[in-house]
Each structure stands twice: as structure tokens, then as C-alpha cells.
């Protein structure tokens, strides 16, 4: 796997801004695909459902505001359909990247398109931390979210379905995610709310995996979680880290279980730290994840923080354009690591400090075939 993410939320990577013409949007998308080919990558993770919306003509959700500037307005073309066809024409695999539960980057339902399911079903959404989220504790929400995402799998020959790290939202100090009503109704069988929340996320993952295998056999299902499952001081099975966030406890995502029990085809933890970083050392997390997948059928790819290379706000290691190349060198000593995915397309395309060029020169001497 030699992959890159193309983030559309807040126009992070693509389109460069909302409201461009269809021709300009298409040209920018193709430029990112061409950059992937130049960097000798073989897979693109394109974010097609950034905020409970769609980058294809979905019968379930409105067109994304990141295309036209106004949610629900038809951009005049089919970005996902075009991306699949153009990626395949270039020998690239295309994984459709979905964010399951984020509804909006603001907390005002009145700002959503009038047709938005979160407006038609006001009990589905929870404001938290200045944003709006679907409530994962409601079975009808999980069923809707699953069907909204699977519509793309039915319509297009995508090579993969991809989730990122957002399940329950990242904690915001002093705020509570108000799922009291759902917990009162559905949580009685669980020892505590955290166990119930983890079960809700487990259900979404397991049911989505089963549906993908039924709808489009051979399409791979992968998840890119936060890089730390649990710290070892909390759980002896955890990593030698002191991370301030733990996916099991804070996002209620039991990522280790999904990998070990083969619920998913691949796991791509976001190992967005440098070698030697005290709280979360890349050189300690990589072997921990290799051990997690050892003996399972789950492929391990390392998520790489290309965006940190040369960023003056980052530790000294990231000022060296060779830092990421060292990650790939280290990964070669662990046969369980089957590739890398780079965040994100903007940096692959522009490569401001040459970190991607160094990776290509040191490790990608020949064009990539498709990921096995």
C-alpha cells in the first residue's frame, strides 16, 4: 500500500475552495491523482462524505457544501464517479472515505439544508464542542448512516471503503456528549455507559463490514484510527505511550479488537508522531501495532503525518525532510507492516520541504503495482 488521503472537509485538500466551476473542480481532482502517480503511489482515499453529506448524487443526503458553497446544490457533475474512473485509468485504487457521525462543523441545525436528515429527525443529532454529531446510540441512526454510505458502494466499483478516526467525538473539556435519552432506552444491559458506547461503535463496524461483503465482494474495508488504542499504564495490553487521548476510552473505538478479530480488511493507525517523541514514539507504536495484527488476517498500514514535515510548530525531528523516510526504513524491519498512507494530498502535491520526494527516492524506486 502506497496511499494518500484527499480531505474535502473544510476544503482541506480539495476542492481548493467552494464554488469553483465543475471544470475547475475536476481539473484540481485530476491534478491530485496525477500527483499520486508521480509519487509512485497506488491508492487514493477520497473523502466523499465529510459532514453527513455527499460528493455523489445520493438519494439519502444533500450535496456537500464544500463543492458549491451551499449544501444541497448540485455541482453539475459526479465527483465520486469521476474519481473512480480516473483513478482506475491511472492504475490507482480508489477508496471511498466516509465520516460516519459528523453532521456539521457548527452546532446549528437551522444552517443545514432543509432536506437534511438531521433536520427532518431532530432527535438524531447532538451538539457538542461547537459541532453537530449523529447519536451513535440510536439504532435508527446507525441503520441510516450505514445505508447512506453503502449507497456509494452499490453505485460505484470502489476498491475500498474507508473510515477515519472519528466515532464518538474527541473529548472537549468541560462538555458532556448528551446521549442520556439513548442510554436510558438502550443501555440497561451494559455495566456502564462506556461499554454501551463501545458496543454501539462495534455494531456499526461489524454491520458495515458484513454489508460491504454482500454488496460488492472484494471491496476492502479499512479504518484509520487514532494511533493509540490504550496506554500501558491503563491496560497492560496497551502501548508504551503517555497519550492524552486513547481511542478505547475517549472515542469508544476498540480498534485493537477490530483488527485482531478480522472484522476489517486493513487497519491504518494514524502514527502521526516522530521517532523519539516522548508521549507517543513512532518507534514504539509501530511494533505494538505489528504485534496486534500478527496472526490475524488484517493488513497493517502506517498512517504518516506528511503534513508535519517542515512545520515550524512541530518538534525538531519534523524539520528534517528525512524523518518520514526513516519511518519507512524502520517499517521494513516489521513484516506485518504492509505499506503507508500519507496525510495528505495537498502536501503530496506541493511537497513544500521535499519530504515526499525523499520518501520516493529512498523507498519508491519503481512504480507501484496495485496493493496486494
Amino acid at each position: 500500500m502506497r496511499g494518500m488521503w484527499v480531505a474535502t472537509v473544510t476544503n482541506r485538500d480539495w476542492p481548493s475552495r467552494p464554488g469553483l466551476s465543475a471544470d475547475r473542480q475536476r481539473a484540481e481532482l485530476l491534478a491530485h491523482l496525477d500527483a499520486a502517480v508521480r509519487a509512485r503511489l497506488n491508492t487514493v482515499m477520497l473523502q466523499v462524505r465529510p459532514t453527513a453529506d455527499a460528493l455523489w448524487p445520493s438519494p439519502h443526503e444533500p450535496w456537500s457544501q464544500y463543492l458549491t458553497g451551499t449544501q444541497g446544490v448540485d455541482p453539475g457533475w459526479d465527483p465520486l464517479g469521476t474519481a473512480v474512473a480516473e483513478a482506475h485509468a491511472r492504475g490507482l485504487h480508489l477508496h471511498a472515505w466516509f465520516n460516519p457521525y459528523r453532521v456539521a462543523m457548527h452546532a446549528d441545525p437551522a444552517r443545514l439544508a432543509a432536506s437534511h436528515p438531521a433536520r427532518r429527525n431532530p432527535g438524531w443529532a447532538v451538539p457538542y464542542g461547537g459541532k453537530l454529531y449523529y447519536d451513535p446510540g440510536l439504532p435508527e441512526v446507525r441503520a441510516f448512516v450505514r445505508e447512506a454510505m453503502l449507497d456509494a458502494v452499490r453505485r460505484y466499483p470502489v476498491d475500498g471503503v474507508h473510515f477515519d478516526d472519528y466515532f464518538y467525538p474527541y473529548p472537549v473539556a468541560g462538555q458532556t456528549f448528551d446521549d442520556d435519552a439513548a442510554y436510558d432506552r438502550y443501555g440497561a444491559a451494559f455495566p456502564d455507559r462506556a461499554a454501551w458506547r463501545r458496543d454501539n461503535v462495534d455494531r456499526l463496524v461489524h454491520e458495515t463490514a458484513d454489508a460491504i461483503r454482500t454488496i460488492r465482494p472484494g471491496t476492502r474495508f479499512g479504518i484509520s484510527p487514532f494511533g493509540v488504542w490504550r496506554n500501558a499504564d491503563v491496560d497492560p495490553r496497551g502501548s508504551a505511550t503517555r497519550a492524552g487521548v486513547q481511542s478505547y476510552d475517549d472515542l469508544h473505538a476498540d480498534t485493537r479488537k477490530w483488527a485482531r478479530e478480522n472484522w476489517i480488511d486493513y487497519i491504518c493507525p494514524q502514527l502521526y508522531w516522530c521517532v523519539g517523541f516522548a508521549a507517543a514514539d513512532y518507534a514504539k507504536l509501530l511494533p505494538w501495532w505489528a504485534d496486534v495484527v500478527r496472526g490475524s488476517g488484517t493488513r497493517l498500514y502506517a498512517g504518516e503525518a506528511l503534513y508535519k514535515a517542515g512545520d515550524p510548530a512541530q518538534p525538531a525531528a519534523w524539520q528534517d525532510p528525512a524523518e518520514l523516510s526513516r519511518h519507512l526504513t524502520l517499517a521494513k524491519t516489521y513484516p506485518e507492516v504492509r505499506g503507508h498512507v500519507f496525510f495528505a494530498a495537498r502536501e503530496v502535491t506541493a511537497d513544500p520541504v521535499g519530504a515526499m520526494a525523499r520518501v520516493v527516492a529512498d523507498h519508491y524506486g519503481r512504480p507501484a503495482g496495485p496493493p496486494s
Side-chain angles (χ1 to χ4, degrees):
M1 169 69 76
R2 303 179 187 177
M4 76 176 186
W5 283 284
V6 181
T8 58
V9 66
T10 69
N11 298 97
R12 198 270 177 201
D13 294 317
W14 175 82
S16 60
R17 58 182 174 83
L20 299 176
S21 70
D23 286 345
R24 177 72 181 279
Q25 290 178 13
R26 186 177 187 276
E28 288 187 356
L29 177 61
L30 300 191
H32 283 307
L33 299 181
D34 290 339
V37 173
R38 286 196 303 274
R40 295 180 172 167
L41 306 181
N42 59 17
T43 306
V44 170
M45 282 74 173
L46 175 64
Q47 190 177 34
V48 298
R49 187 178 182 271
T51 51
D53 49 14
L55 274 77
W56 75 96
S58 168
H60 303 291
E61 294 179 307
W63 282 104
S64 177
Q65 66 178 333
Y66 302 119
L67 295 170
T68 64
T70 303
Q71 191 175 63
V73 173
D74 188 333
W77 69 302
D78 180 356
L80 176 52
T82 301
V84 172
E86 294 288 348
H88 289 171
R90 290 162 173 75
L92 298 167
H93 280 197
L94 195 289
H95 290 211
W97 164 18
F98 304 92
N99 185 290
Y101 291 123
R102 183 172 57 210
V103 174
M105 301 297 285
H106 57 77
D108 182 5
R111 291 172 56 187
L112 301 172
S115 64
H116 198 290
R119 289 190 68 174
R120 297 200 310 265
N121 302 277
W124 285 10
V126 178
Y128 179 77
K131 299 177 184 178
L132 203 60
Y133 299 90
Y134 280 132
D135 186 346
L138 296 175
E140 59 270 31
V141 163
R142 293 196 302 272
F144 170 77
V145 164
R146 188 174 64 248
E147 286 308 304
M149 296 185 293
L150 291 172
D151 178 70
V153 182
R154 290 187 175 94
R155 288 172 182 257
Y156 305 101
V158 295
D159 301 289
V161 170
H162 187 83
F163 286 179
D164 52 24
D165 50 320
Y166 293 93
F167 294 96
Y168 279 85
Y170 279 80
V172 176
Q175 298 201 25
T176 300
F177 186 80
D178 183 7
D179 55 0
D180 287 354
Y183 182 51
D184 289 346
R185 186 170 182 181
Y186 299 108
F190 295 88
D192 53 38
R193 190 181 304 233
W196 169 72
R197 286 178 172 177
R198 279 191 295 275
D199 182 71
N200 295 331
V201 178
D202 282 352
R203 287 172 184 267
L204 177 76
V205 170
H206 203 281
E207 291 165 3
T208 301
D210 286 347
I212 292 166
R213 294 180 185 118
T214 299
I215 294 166
R216 195 173 290 278
T219 292
R220 305 170 74 199
F221 180 32
I223 295 179
S224 178
F226 181 72
V228 175
W229 173 71
R230 297 188 98 186
N231 297 323
D233 65 348
V234 172
D235 188 322
R237 299 170 298 172
S239 51
T241 50
R242 299 192 304 276
V245 172
Q246 302 167 87
S247 67
Y248 180 93
D249 302 277
D250 296 310
L251 309 180
H252 307 289
D254 193 351
T255 55
R256 179 180 180 272
K257 177 169 73 174
W258 306 339
R260 292 185 67 84
E261 297 190 7
N262 298 326
W263 288 12
I264 54 180
D265 297 303
Y266 68 86
I267 195 160
C268 182
Q270 296 174 16
L271 304 183
Y272 288 176
W273 303 283
C274 56
V275 172
F277 185 64
D281 186 343
Y282 185 94
K284 294 179 178 178
L285 277 165
L286 192 75
W288 184 86
W289 279 104
D291 184 64
V292 165
V293 303
R294 190 172 296 125
S296 76
T298 305
R299 297 295 177 100
L300 172 62
Y301 310 132
E304 302 287 350
L306 177 62
Y307 73 98
K308 289 187 175 181
D311 181 347
Q314 297 298 329
W318 287 110
Q319 309 314 312
D320 183 351
E323 172 66 20
L324 281 183
S325 180
R326 284 192 284 270
H327 292 192
L328 274 70
T329 299
L330 177 63
K332 288 179 179 177
T333 65
Y334 296 96
E336 295 83 7
V337 184
R338 304 298 297 268
H340 304 262
V341 183
F342 300 91
F343 193 89
R346 187 170 71 196
E347 288 76 17
V348 171
T349 298
D351 198 17
V353 296
M356 193 70 211
R358 182 65 181 267
V359 165
V360 174
D362 292 350
H363 302 281
Y364 296 163
R366 288 179 287 186
S372 59

